[in-house]
Amino acid sequence: PDDAQRLLAALGTFAGGFNLDAAHAVTNAPADLAHPDLELLIDRSFVLVDERSTGELRFSLLRRTPR
């Protein structure tokens, strides 16, 4: 799998969403670096972004709903 697929699998460990620090923790990437694979997953709508009233960004994975 490519890097974006590995990141998506790693982010699947979070229930109920995560913040950027948590995303960096599961990828072992420094928190001060932009994560291009995360941006790709957002662009492709696999990861959703919610900005809280505090300005904090929260992320969550797109979930499939069974038919």
Side-chain angles (χ1 to χ4, degrees):
D2 67 11
D3 292 339
Q5 288 176 319
R6 281 191 287 276
L7 176 59
L8 186 60
L11 296 175
T13 62
F14 297 112
F18 53 93
N19 63 17
L20 193 55
D21 289 338
H24 284 290
V26 297
T27 61
N28 296 318
D32 60 338
L33 294 178
H35 205 300
D37 294 318
L38 181 58
E39 292 175 19
L40 177 68
L41 293 174
I42 292 167
D43 289 344
R44 292 185 179 172
S45 299
F46 287 104
V47 175
L48 307 174
V49 183
D50 178 39
E51 184 172 357
R52 302 292 169 101
S53 60
T54 60
E56 177 190 18
L57 295 178
R58 294 284 301 170
F59 303 91
S60 59
L61 296 182
L62 180 66
R63 299 282 185 203
R64 277 189 54 211
T65 52
R67 294 182 186 208

